Structures are given as C-alpha cells and as structure tokens.
Amino acid sequence: MDYSEIDHISRTCFPNNNLKNIQYGTAGFRMRAELLNHVVYRMGILSVLRSKFLNGAGIGLMITASHNEEPDNGIKIVDPAGEMLESDWEEIATMLVKVQDTELIETIKSIIKDKNIDENSSASVIIGRDSRESSLALSKAAIKPIEILKATVKDFGIITTPQLHYLVVCINSNGVYGVPTIDGYFDKLSNAFIKSQTIENKINNKKYSYTNQLYVDAANGVGAFAAKEFKKQLNNIITINIFNDGAGKLNYKCGADYVKIHQAPPLNNPSKLNIKCASIDGDADRLVYYYVDENNKFNLLDGDKIAILIVSYLKELIEASGLSINLGLVQTAYANGASTNYVTEILNVPVAFTETGVKHLHHRAQQFDIGVYFEANGHGTVIFRDEIIKMIRNSTLNKEISNQQRESVLKLSNLIDIINQTVGDALSDMLLVETILYARDWDIVMWKECYLDFPNRQLKVKVKDRNIIKTTDAERKCISPIGLQEKIDEIVSHYPKGRSFVRASGTEDIVRVYAECQDPMDVEKLAAQVSLAVYQFAGGVGEIPIAI
Ligand code: NG1
Ligand code: ZN
C-alpha cells in the first residue's frame, strides 16, 4: 500500500484540526462541514481497511448530515449487509480521526496488524452524497485515499442515504437483493407498488375512503430528486405533490425532524384542511405523515403510527396465510406509551426495546422472523429472515392452499419487494403506507384514530460534559449522575400516566429530555421540571431549560 502518498496528501491537503470531543456517534461523524476535511479523508482510508478486512466486500460511505442545517455535514460507513459500522470499528474510526498527522501511517499499520488484515486483498468502496453544497468536495476528499490505495470506487453521486444502503447490499449480494443501480432501485420499488394495486382488494368500508392524493414536504433535500422520480413513474396511480422540493433552504423549518419536534406543519404547507401530507428528512431516511384538521389542529402520524399500521397489517396477512411466522416490533424509549400499549394489548404482538440508533433496532429486529422497527422520529423499516422470504415465495406456488391463503401470501410476497429492508427509507416506507391505506380504504383520519398518543414533549439541556449522563434499561433509567433518577421518579409521580427519561445525544452536544403524561396541560411543566433537574444534577450551562 502506498503510504508515502497517503502521508503526503494528508499533511499537505487534509491536516488534523485537532477537534476536541470528536466521536463516531449514532450517525457517524457530524459537524460543521469546514471541519470535516481530514475526517472524510481518513474515513476513506478506513473504508479501504474495512473492505480488505472483509476480503474485498463492498463498504459504503455516505456524505450527509441528514436533518441538520445546511452548514453541517457528516460521514458514515455502511457495512456490507447494509448495516451500520460494527461497534469496535466505530472506536477505531474515532481513534483514526484523532491521531496527529505524524502518527497517521503508524496508526494505519497498527490497525492492519491488530485486525490481521491482508494488505494484498482487494477492496471496494461505494460512495454517495446528499445535495449539500459542501458534499461534493468532501466526497472527493474521501475518494482521494481510496484511489491512492488502488481500491475500486463506485461513486453514485447525489443519492439518498437508503439508496446507498440498497446499492451496497445489491453489490454484495451479486444482484440477488436487486439490480445494483439507481434505476434498479426505482424499478424494484415502483413495480412492486404498481403490482400492489392489482393484488390488494381495496375494501369499501363506506365510512372513510382512501385518496391517492399526497403532498410531500421534501425538506429541500436529496429526497426531492427521488420523490420526483417516483412521481413520474407512479403518475397513473398516485398523485404526489412535492413541495420544499429543493428551491428553498435545506431543512429550514421543514422536513420530518422539524415537523416531529415542533409538532407543527412545515413552511409552504398547502393551506387545504384534512389533506394527507408527508414529510421526509434531508437525506430521505425518515418519514412522518400529518394533516391539519377543520379546527386548524395539527395532527402528527409519526414513526410509531407508521409502525403500528404496518404491524397490524402484517399480522392480519400472516394470520390469514396460515403460516407460522413470529412477528415483532422494536421501539426505543422515545416511542409513545400509547403506541406500545396498543401493540401489546390490542394487537398482541411482542414489543422489544433497544437503545436509540437504528443499528440497535435493526439488530434486535433480526431476532424475529419478521421484525418491524421504527424510531418515533420516523426512521424504520421491516426485515424478513431469508428462510421466511423463501417460505412466503414458495407458498405463492403451493396449489394445496385455499384461495384466501394464497391471496395473503401473494400480498406478503409483494410487500417484501416494496420494502427497502436494508435501512429505513422514507420513500419506500411511504409506498408501503399508501399500499396499506389503499388496501384498507382508510383516510388519514381513520389511521390517526387507531389509538390516541399521550401528549409528549422533548427538550434539550446544555451541560458541561454530556458524558456524565449514563443510562441503563434501554436508556429508560439514568444511573449517573447519582440522584438524578430518584429526582425524575419523584417529579413523574405527580403526573397521571407520567413517564420521563433523559439521555445524552449521540449527534449533538446536549442532553435530551423526553416527557409524556395524560394531560396535555401538564406535559410542558413535566418536561421543564425534569430539564431543570438535569441542569442541576448534571452541570447545566446557559439558559435553563431550552425549549425546542
Ligand atoms: P441522538 O442525537 O443520539 O438523539 C438522533 C435521533 C436518533 C437517530 C440519530 C441519527 C432522536 C431522539 N434521536 O440521535 O433517533 O435518528 O439522530 O440521525 O430522534
Ligand atoms: Zn436522515
């Protein structure tokens, strides 16, 4: 491997800027774009090492800062099966971006030695970037060392994060998962969606009715490109009206994160009442739905509502198919308590909890035959075990089963193709939601009324060092600083159906506070009291607390 060139370019073009507290977090590295040059250069190197470590398997690199504001950017590594980078390599990533320029080559050599990497193995990296102005230069900086190290680079340019995950999986499965091109991605999802219109028998429930009109807030991000392509391909079936389509400022008062946190419509929202709207985030891996009703009230259908719609439909199909399939849902502590109650008590489907971050949810979901996982913020998907996919596909050919069973397995089989199993994908999830609403002939109000969310609120608290906050029990209990959990318990005990927890963010230098309770009038107070406790126990700085 040509270390002298790597060293020379590192020192002359991408010197370490010695950032304190830099860490490979929930979504890789994320910060102001101008600080990222040496980080992306070194991640280019690391992706080659990771690929060689895995005998030449394709590794993904995505340049994006998702829902963050335009001046930010970020980079994350995607493992060959489309999963997030393995945890012990996250530590290596942090170490590699921290070492001094003079130690870079020695560090690379020690990683090779420690991990027993065959330097002569081939290596391949698949790279994509979002639509930020800074993304092109950063992707070039990441590609530079990959070329010096003579690894193969497949640069797909401006794509959504889930498209990158799809491409990584397709390339590593030699096309078994799908055709490894962007056209292949659109064709796979669009064809399955078109097919769903013929195999789902829309039931007329007389009271509500499905409408194929959908307004999509694309956060002025890369998702706008993808949404426009689906609009073109699916024009005869669904009318997708895109706004915040790239002309405005990225993620500015729009997008899934804004809508979820502020519980308010985005900028440029159509003024019509009771119409079905969806918001995706800046890199199109999160989706929420919403509508404004006749009383001008904003109604949010977030990741929990999407998960419940999917779980209930899958359960119905599995039961009708007669197949023995174990279905489960994975949530985090941010899931609204009412959604968890609905799934466990009404649907009788097991719910597992993990820490925040899709890699945790994804791994837990793999333990079910069919695992649905969603973060409340709208990031999630469904994963099917390979044997279960085979079983479903085989059943569609089985002549012995009843018509009702065949219908259900055909539907299940087609749903598998609509879903981007490799990671949460806002547009694939949107097609899935539309398929289910169509099959049930539901409008958005009917969906919303499945269960009523408990009023909830999220706040951010700035503290000296957020790492003082340590949690256990899927982040639902705080074990450090001492006394904080007892204080939270005491505060919560005054609120009927109250629940609150705190954790350090993995993507921002703050502590997040979540609160929910029965009475909407109380929830702000509960969140503020817990925030104050965090401020007092964990060394708060600045104003107390910051409402977001
Ligand atoms: P942090 O900042 O660690 O809370 C946020 C989201 C995660 C995940 C990551 C990556 C919340 C509460 N947290 O993480 O779910 O999406 O960003 O984008 O929404
Ligand atoms: Zn995102």
mmCIF file of all heavy atoms in Angstrom, residues 347-384:
data_model
loop_
_atom_site.group_PDB
_atom_site.id
_atom_site.type_symbol
_atom_site.label_atom_id
_atom_site.label_comp_id
_atom_site.label_asym_id
_atom_site.label_seq_id
_atom_site.Cartn_x
_atom_site.Cartn_y
_atom_site.Cartn_z
ATOM 1 N N LEU A 347 -53.090 -5.548 19.704
ATOM 2 C CA LEU A 347 -52.633 -6.408 18.595
ATOM 3 C C LEU A 347 -51.992 -7.707 19.085
ATOM 4 O O LEU A 347 -51.810 -8.641 18.309
ATOM 5 C CB LEU A 347 -51.615 -5.660 17.714
ATOM 6 C CG LEU A 347 -52.110 -4.388 17.010
ATOM 7 C CD1 LEU A 347 -50.975 -3.758 16.199
ATOM 8 C CD2 LEU A 347 -53.295 -4.694 16.103
ATOM 9 N N ASN A 348 -51.653 -7.738 20.366
ATOM 10 C CA ASN A 348 -50.982 -8.929 20.906
ATOM 11 C C ASN A 348 -49.712 -9.312 20.171
ATOM 12 O O ASN A 348 -49.448 -10.486 19.909
ATOM 13 C CB ASN A 348 -51.930 -10.131 20.876
ATOM 14 C CG ASN A 348 -52.801 -10.121 22.081
ATOM 15 O OD1 ASN A 348 -52.314 -9.874 23.181
ATOM 16 N ND2 ASN A 348 -54.094 -10.338 21.860
ATOM 17 N N VAL A 349 -48.954 -8.313 19.834
ATOM 18 C CA VAL A 349 -47.672 -8.548 19.159
ATOM 19 C C VAL A 349 -46.574 -8.113 20.145
ATOM 20 O O VAL A 349 -46.704 -7.077 20.802
ATOM 21 C CB VAL A 349 -47.593 -7.720 17.845
ATOM 22 C CG1 VAL A 349 -46.183 -7.727 17.262
ATOM 23 C CG2 VAL A 349 -48.590 -8.252 16.826
ATOM 24 N N PRO A 350 -45.509 -8.918 20.288
ATOM 25 C CA PRO A 350 -44.461 -8.545 21.249
ATOM 26 C C PRO A 350 -43.684 -7.299 20.839
ATOM 27 O O PRO A 350 -43.449 -7.073 19.649
ATOM 28 C CB PRO A 350 -43.526 -9.764 21.266
ATOM 29 C CG PRO A 350 -43.804 -10.499 20.009
ATOM 30 C CD PRO A 350 -45.224 -10.196 19.623
ATOM 31 N N VAL A 351 -43.311 -6.500 21.834
ATOM 32 C CA VAL A 351 -42.507 -5.300 21.580
ATOM 33 C C VAL A 351 -41.194 -5.422 22.341
ATOM 34 O O VAL A 351 -41.188 -5.741 23.525
ATOM 35 C CB VAL A 351 -43.233 -4.022 22.065
ATOM 36 C CG1 VAL A 351 -42.372 -2.780 21.809
ATOM 37 C CG2 VAL A 351 -44.581 -3.870 21.386
ATOM 38 N N ALA A 352 -40.073 -5.183 21.647
ATOM 39 C CA ALA A 352 -38.763 -5.170 22.310
ATOM 40 C C ALA A 352 -38.247 -3.742 22.302
ATOM 41 O O ALA A 352 -38.561 -2.974 21.382
ATOM 42 C CB ALA A 352 -37.797 -6.082 21.561
ATOM 43 N N PHE A 353 -37.461 -3.405 23.322
ATOM 44 C CA PHE A 353 -36.897 -2.044 23.398
ATOM 45 C C PHE A 353 -35.381 -2.092 23.262
ATOM 46 O O PHE A 353 -34.737 -2.994 23.786
ATOM 47 C CB PHE A 353 -37.261 -1.394 24.736
ATOM 48 C CG PHE A 353 -38.654 -0.861 24.728
ATOM 49 C CD1 PHE A 353 -39.720 -1.671 25.067
ATOM 50 C CD2 PHE A 353 -38.902 0.443 24.317
ATOM 51 C CE1 PHE A 353 -41.016 -1.185 25.014
ATOM 52 C CE2 PHE A 353 -40.187 0.935 24.260
ATOM 53 C CZ PHE A 353 -41.245 0.119 24.611
ATOM 54 N N THR A 354 -34.844 -1.125 22.546
ATOM 55 C CA THR A 354 -33.386 -1.014 22.464
ATOM 56 C C THR A 354 -32.993 0.436 22.687
ATOM 57 O O THR A 354 -33.833 1.324 22.746
ATOM 58 C CB THR A 354 -32.825 -1.394 21.073
ATOM 59 O OG1 THR A 354 -33.237 -0.412 20.129
ATOM 60 C CG2 THR A 354 -33.279 -2.754 20.625
ATOM 61 N N GLU A 355 -31.674 0.624 22.718
ATOM 62 C CA GLU A 355 -31.163 1.986 22.774
ATOM 63 C C GLU A 355 -31.481 2.722 21.476
ATOM 64 O O GLU A 355 -31.752 2.091 20.460
ATOM 65 C CB GLU A 355 -29.639 1.945 22.939
ATOM 66 C CG GLU A 355 -29.178 1.465 24.285
ATOM 67 C CD GLU A 355 -27.724 1.036 24.236
ATOM 68 O OE1 GLU A 355 -26.910 1.714 23.610
ATOM 69 O OE2 GLU A 355 -27.434 -0.014 24.840
ATOM 70 N N THR A 356 -31.369 4.042 21.512
ATOM 71 C CA THR A 356 -31.578 4.873 20.330
ATOM 72 C C THR A 356 -30.517 4.563 19.268
ATOM 73 O O THR A 356 -29.383 4.235 19.611
ATOM 74 C CB THR A 356 -31.447 6.353 20.730
ATOM 75 O OG1 THR A 356 -32.397 6.603 21.763
ATOM 76 C CG2 THR A 356 -31.703 7.292 19.574
ATOM 77 N N GLY A 357 -30.887 4.702 18.023
ATOM 78 C CA GLY A 357 -29.919 4.455 16.936
ATOM 79 C C GLY A 357 -30.339 3.218 16.175
ATOM 80 O O GLY A 357 -30.515 2.155 16.774
ATOM 81 N N VAL A 358 -30.471 3.371 14.850
ATOM 82 C CA VAL A 358 -31.042 2.268 14.073
ATOM 83 C C VAL A 358 -30.242 0.987 14.138
ATOM 84 O O VAL A 358 -30.802 -0.086 13.983
ATOM 85 C CB VAL A 358 -31.269 2.634 12.598
ATOM 86 C CG1 VAL A 358 -32.570 3.323 12.421
ATOM 87 C CG2 VAL A 358 -30.140 3.414 12.025
ATOM 88 N N LYS A 359 -28.932 1.109 14.381
ATOM 89 C CA LYS A 359 -28.180 -0.155 14.395
ATOM 90 C C LYS A 359 -28.678 -1.068 15.519
ATOM 91 O O LYS A 359 -28.772 -2.273 15.346
ATOM 92 C CB LYS A 359 -26.683 0.101 14.479
ATOM 93 C CG LYS A 359 -26.181 0.430 15.828
ATOM 94 C CD LYS A 359 -24.667 0.430 15.879
ATOM 95 C CE LYS A 359 -24.287 0.952 17.238
ATOM 96 N NZ LYS A 359 -23.132 1.752 17.286
ATOM 97 N N HIS A 360 -29.059 -0.478 16.647
ATOM 98 C CA HIS A 360 -29.569 -1.302 17.749
ATOM 99 C C HIS A 360 -30.919 -1.907 17.379
ATOM 100 O O HIS A 360 -31.181 -3.087 17.612
ATOM 101 C CB HIS A 360 -29.722 -0.455 19.017
ATOM 102 C CG HIS A 360 -28.439 0.180 19.459
ATOM 103 N ND1 HIS A 360 -27.374 -0.549 19.906
ATOM 104 C CD2 HIS A 360 -28.036 1.479 19.494
ATOM 105 C CE1 HIS A 360 -26.370 0.263 20.214
ATOM 106 N NE2 HIS A 360 -26.751 1.501 19.967
ATOM 107 N N LEU A 361 -31.773 -1.079 16.789
ATOM 108 C CA LEU A 361 -33.114 -1.572 16.435
ATOM 109 C C LEU A 361 -33.022 -2.660 15.366
ATOM 110 O O LEU A 361 -33.698 -3.677 15.429
ATOM 111 C CB LEU A 361 -33.988 -0.414 15.926
ATOM 112 C CG LEU A 361 -34.439 0.569 16.997
ATOM 113 C CD1 LEU A 361 -33.628 1.841 16.948
ATOM 114 C CD2 LEU A 361 -35.905 0.901 16.857
ATOM 115 N N HIS A 362 -32.158 -2.412 14.389
ATOM 116 C CA HIS A 362 -32.016 -3.354 13.275
ATOM 117 C C HIS A 362 -31.578 -4.732 13.808
ATOM 118 O O HIS A 362 -32.170 -5.755 13.466
ATOM 119 C CB HIS A 362 -30.988 -2.795 12.283
ATOM 120 C CG HIS A 362 -30.937 -3.525 10.988
ATOM 121 N ND1 HIS A 362 -31.658 -3.126 9.882
ATOM 122 C CD2 HIS A 362 -30.271 -4.648 10.603
ATOM 123 C CE1 HIS A 362 -31.425 -3.955 8.884
ATOM 124 N NE2 HIS A 362 -30.583 -4.898 9.292
ATOM 125 N N HIS A 363 -30.561 -4.720 14.682
ATOM 126 C CA HIS A 363 -30.065 -5.999 15.204
ATOM 127 C C HIS A 363 -31.121 -6.732 16.016
ATOM 128 O O HIS A 363 -31.273 -7.938 15.905
ATOM 129 C CB HIS A 363 -28.801 -5.778 16.052
ATOM 130 C CG HIS A 363 -27.612 -5.482 15.187
ATOM 131 N ND1 HIS A 363 -26.570 -4.686 15.583
ATOM 132 C CD2 HIS A 363 -27.318 -5.868 13.919
ATOM 133 C CE1 HIS A 363 -25.688 -4.594 14.599
ATOM 134 N NE2 HIS A 363 -26.127 -5.290 13.585
ATOM 135 N N ARG A 364 -31.871 -5.983 16.794
ATOM 136 C CA ARG A 364 -32.918 -6.628 17.610
ATOM 137 C C ARG A 364 -34.024 -7.178 16.710
ATOM 138 O O ARG A 364 -34.545 -8.276 16.945
ATOM 139 C CB ARG A 364 -33.475 -5.616 18.626
ATOM 140 C CG ARG A 364 -34.496 -6.190 19.577
ATOM 141 C CD ARG A 364 -33.900 -7.299 20.447
ATOM 142 N NE ARG A 364 -34.906 -7.977 21.275
ATOM 143 C CZ ARG A 364 -35.676 -8.970 20.854
ATOM 144 N NH1 ARG A 364 -35.580 -9.413 19.608
ATOM 145 N NH2 ARG A 364 -36.556 -9.545 21.682
ATOM 146 N N ALA A 365 -34.346 -6.441 15.667
ATOM 147 C CA ALA A 365 -35.426 -6.873 14.761
ATOM 148 C C ALA A 365 -35.047 -8.169 14.042
ATOM 149 O O ALA A 365 -35.918 -8.967 13.679
ATOM 150 C CB ALA A 365 -35.726 -5.771 13.743
ATOM 151 N N GLN A 366 -33.745 -8.390 13.863
ATOM 152 C CA GLN A 366 -33.301 -9.622 13.195
ATOM 153 C C GLN A 366 -33.639 -10.872 14.002
ATOM 154 O O GLN A 366 -33.609 -11.979 13.482
ATOM 155 C CB GLN A 366 -31.785 -9.573 12.954
ATOM 156 C CG GLN A 366 -31.428 -8.679 11.779
ATOM 157 C CD GLN A 366 -29.930 -8.430 11.679
ATOM 158 O OE1 GLN A 366 -29.223 -8.415 12.680
ATOM 159 N NE2 GLN A 366 -29.449 -8.235 10.470
ATOM 160 N N GLN A 367 -33.972 -10.679 15.286
ATOM 161 C CA GLN A 367 -34.308 -11.856 16.096
ATOM 162 C C GLN A 367 -35.737 -12.345 15.874
ATOM 163 O O GLN A 367 -36.113 -13.399 16.350
ATOM 164 C CB GLN A 367 -34.077 -11.543 17.575
ATOM 165 C CG GLN A 367 -32.593 -11.360 17.888
ATOM 166 C CD GLN A 367 -32.368 -10.872 19.303
ATOM 167 O OE1 GLN A 367 -33.181 -11.106 20.194
ATOM 168 N NE2 GLN A 367 -31.271 -10.181 19.530
ATOM 169 N N PHE A 368 -36.539 -11.561 15.175
ATOM 170 C CA PHE A 368 -37.893 -12.010 14.829
ATOM 171 C C PHE A 368 -37.869 -12.585 13.411
ATOM 172 O O PHE A 368 -36.987 -12.260 12.621
ATOM 173 C CB PHE A 368 -38.874 -10.837 14.862
ATOM 174 C CG PHE A 368 -39.083 -10.234 16.231
ATOM 175 C CD1 PHE A 368 -38.562 -8.982 16.547
ATOM 176 C CD2 PHE A 368 -39.801 -10.913 17.201
ATOM 177 C CE1 PHE A 368 -38.752 -8.419 17.803
ATOM 178 C CE2 PHE A 368 -40.000 -10.368 18.463
ATOM 179 C CZ PHE A 368 -39.475 -9.118 18.768
ATOM 180 N N ASP A 369 -38.878 -13.426 13.070
ATOM 181 C CA ASP A 369 -38.978 -13.884 11.665
ATOM 182 C C ASP A 369 -39.239 -12.672 10.781
ATOM 183 O O ASP A 369 -38.641 -12.503 9.728
ATOM 184 C CB ASP A 369 -40.142 -14.865 11.504
ATOM 185 C CG ASP A 369 -39.848 -16.200 12.170
ATOM 186 O OD1 ASP A 369 -38.656 -16.477 12.428
ATOM 187 O OD2 ASP A 369 -40.813 -16.951 12.433
ATOM 188 N N ILE A 370 -40.214 -11.874 11.231
ATOM 189 C CA ILE A 370 -40.435 -10.582 10.571
ATOM 190 C C ILE A 370 -40.337 -9.521 11.668
ATOM 191 O O ILE A 370 -41.119 -9.515 12.623
ATOM 192 C CB ILE A 370 -41.812 -10.491 9.884
ATOM 193 C CG1 ILE A 370 -41.977 -11.589 8.830
ATOM 194 C CG2 ILE A 370 -41.990 -9.109 9.238
ATOM 195 C CD1 ILE A 370 -43.307 -11.557 8.068
ATOM 196 N N GLY A 371 -39.355 -8.670 11.565
ATOM 197 C CA GLY A 371 -39.151 -7.648 12.593
ATOM 198 C C GLY A 371 -39.435 -6.273 12.020
ATOM 199 O O GLY A 371 -38.851 -5.867 11.025
ATOM 200 N N VAL A 372 -40.386 -5.590 12.649
ATOM 201 C CA VAL A 372 -40.674 -4.210 12.256
ATOM 202 C C VAL A 372 -39.946 -3.333 13.265
ATOM 203 O O VAL A 372 -40.015 -3.596 14.462
ATOM 204 C CB VAL A 372 -42.189 -3.911 12.345
ATOM 205 C CG1 VAL A 372 -42.491 -2.468 11.935
ATOM 206 C CG2 VAL A 372 -42.981 -4.893 11.495
ATOM 207 N N TYR A 373 -39.209 -2.340 12.802
ATOM 208 C CA TYR A 373 -38.605 -1.434 13.773
ATOM 209 C C TYR A 373 -38.778 0.003 13.319
ATOM 210 O O TYR A 373 -38.681 0.298 12.131
ATOM 211 C CB TYR A 373 -37.140 -1.777 14.039
ATOM 212 C CG TYR A 373 -36.141 -1.510 12.919
ATOM 213 C CD1 TYR A 373 -35.579 -0.252 12.738
ATOM 214 C CD2 TYR A 373 -35.739 -2.532 12.068
ATOM 215 C CE1 TYR A 373 -34.643 -0.018 11.739
ATOM 216 C CE2 TYR A 373 -34.806 -2.308 11.061
ATOM 217 C CZ TYR A 373 -34.262 -1.052 10.902
ATOM 218 O OH TYR A 373 -33.345 -0.814 9.911
ATOM 219 N N PHE A 374 -39.098 0.856 14.267
ATOM 220 C CA PHE A 374 -39.252 2.275 13.967
ATOM 221 C C PHE A 374 -38.845 3.117 15.159
ATOM 222 O O PHE A 374 -39.207 2.810 16.291
ATOM 223 C CB PHE A 374 -40.708 2.621 13.606
ATOM 224 C CG PHE A 374 -40.938 2.627 12.122
ATOM 225 C CD1 PHE A 374 -41.288 1.456 11.459
ATOM 226 C CD2 PHE A 374 -40.760 3.790 11.392
ATOM 227 C CE1 PHE A 374 -41.464 1.449 10.086
ATOM 228 C CE2 PHE A 374 -40.941 3.777 10.014
ATOM 229 C CZ PHE A 374 -41.293 2.619 9.345
ATOM 230 N N GLU A 375 -38.098 4.181 14.877
ATOM 231 C CA GLU A 375 -37.903 5.203 15.889
ATOM 232 C C GLU A 375 -39.095 6.154 15.754
ATOM 233 O O GLU A 375 -39.635 6.317 14.648
ATOM 234 C CB GLU A 375 -36.595 5.961 15.650
ATOM 235 C CG GLU A 375 -35.387 5.068 15.818
ATOM 236 C CD GLU A 375 -34.075 5.852 15.842
ATOM 237 O OE1 GLU A 375 -33.778 6.582 14.887
ATOM 238 O OE2 GLU A 375 -33.348 5.712 16.822
ATOM 239 N N ALA A 376 -39.478 6.785 16.862
ATOM 240 C CA ALA A 376 -40.643 7.678 16.817
ATOM 241 C C ALA A 376 -40.438 8.778 15.781
ATOM 242 O O ALA A 376 -41.394 9.282 15.183
ATOM 243 C CB ALA A 376 -40.868 8.283 18.193
ATOM 244 N N ASN A 377 -39.169 9.127 15.504
ATOM 245 C CA ASN A 377 -38.899 10.215 14.557
ATOM 246 C C ASN A 377 -39.132 9.808 13.092
ATOM 247 O O ASN A 377 -38.931 10.610 12.193
ATOM 248 C CB ASN A 377 -37.479 10.739 14.749
ATOM 249 C CG ASN A 377 -36.429 9.660 14.525
ATOM 250 O OD1 ASN A 377 -36.609 8.745 13.744
ATOM 251 N ND2 ASN A 377 -35.311 9.776 15.228
ATOM 252 N N GLY A 378 -39.538 8.567 12.865
ATOM 253 C CA GLY A 378 -39.915 8.163 11.504
ATOM 254 C C GLY A 378 -38.860 7.363 10.774
ATOM 255 O O GLY A 378 -38.971 7.130 9.567
ATOM 256 N N HIS A 379 -37.828 6.928 11.497
ATOM 257 C CA HIS A 379 -36.788 6.130 10.850
ATOM 258 C C HIS A 379 -37.046 4.655 11.146
ATOM 259 O O HIS A 379 -36.987 4.230 12.280
ATOM 260 C CB HIS A 379 -35.412 6.533 11.411
ATOM 261 C CG HIS A 379 -34.283 6.004 10.590
ATOM 262 N ND1 HIS A 379 -32.993 6.394 10.757
ATOM 263 C CD2 HIS A 379 -34.259 5.117 9.581
ATOM 264 C CE1 HIS A 379 -32.218 5.770 9.891
ATOM 265 N NE2 HIS A 379 -32.975 4.978 9.172
ATOM 266 N N GLY A 380 -37.322 3.880 10.121
ATOM 267 C CA GLY A 380 -37.556 2.467 10.369
ATOM 268 C C GLY A 380 -37.891 1.690 9.115
ATOM 269 O O GLY A 380 -38.059 2.255 8.035
ATOM 270 N N THR A 381 -37.940 0.372 9.283
ATOM 271 C CA THR A 381 -38.290 -0.488 8.152
ATOM 272 C C THR A 381 -38.758 -1.840 8.689
ATOM 273 O O THR A 381 -38.993 -1.999 9.895
ATOM 274 C CB THR A 381 -37.091 -0.641 7.181
ATOM 275 O OG1 THR A 381 -37.512 -1.354 6.030
ATOM 276 C CG2 THR A 381 -35.922 -1.389 7.802
ATOM 277 N N VAL A 382 -38.875 -2.793 7.801
ATOM 278 C CA VAL A 382 -39.274 -4.150 8.178
ATOM 279 C C VAL A 382 -38.206 -5.082 7.643
ATOM 280 O O VAL A 382 -37.771 -4.922 6.494
ATOM 281 C CB VAL A 382 -40.618 -4.536 7.517
ATOM 282 C CG1 VAL A 382 -41.095 -5.895 8.021
ATOM 283 C CG2 VAL A 382 -41.669 -3.467 7.733
ATOM 284 N N ILE A 383 -37.766 -6.039 8.462
ATOM 285 C CA ILE A 383 -36.824 -7.022 7.915
ATOM 286 C C ILE A 383 -37.387 -8.435 8.035
ATOM 287 O O ILE A 383 -38.024 -8.778 9.025
ATOM 288 C CB ILE A 383 -35.406 -6.904 8.521
ATOM 289 C CG1 ILE A 383 -35.433 -6.856 10.035
ATOM 290 C CG2 ILE A 383 -34.690 -5.672 7.995
ATOM 291 C CD1 ILE A 383 -34.042 -6.675 10.639
ATOM 292 N N PHE A 384 -37.156 -9.188 6.985
ATOM 293 C CA PHE A 384 -37.665 -10.560 6.897
ATOM 294 C C PHE A 384 -36.464 -11.502 6.903
ATOM 295 O O PHE A 384 -35.513 -11.291 6.162
ATOM 296 C CB PHE A 384 -38.414 -10.770 5.568
ATOM 297 C CG PHE A 384 -39.620 -9.894 5.385
ATOM 298 C CD1 PHE A 384 -39.486 -8.547 5.066
ATOM 299 C CD2 PHE A 384 -40.904 -10.415 5.508
ATOM 300 C CE1 PHE A 384 -40.598 -7.733 4.879
ATOM 301 C CE2 PHE A 384 -42.028 -9.602 5.323
ATOM 302 C CZ PHE A 384 -41.866 -8.267 5.018
#
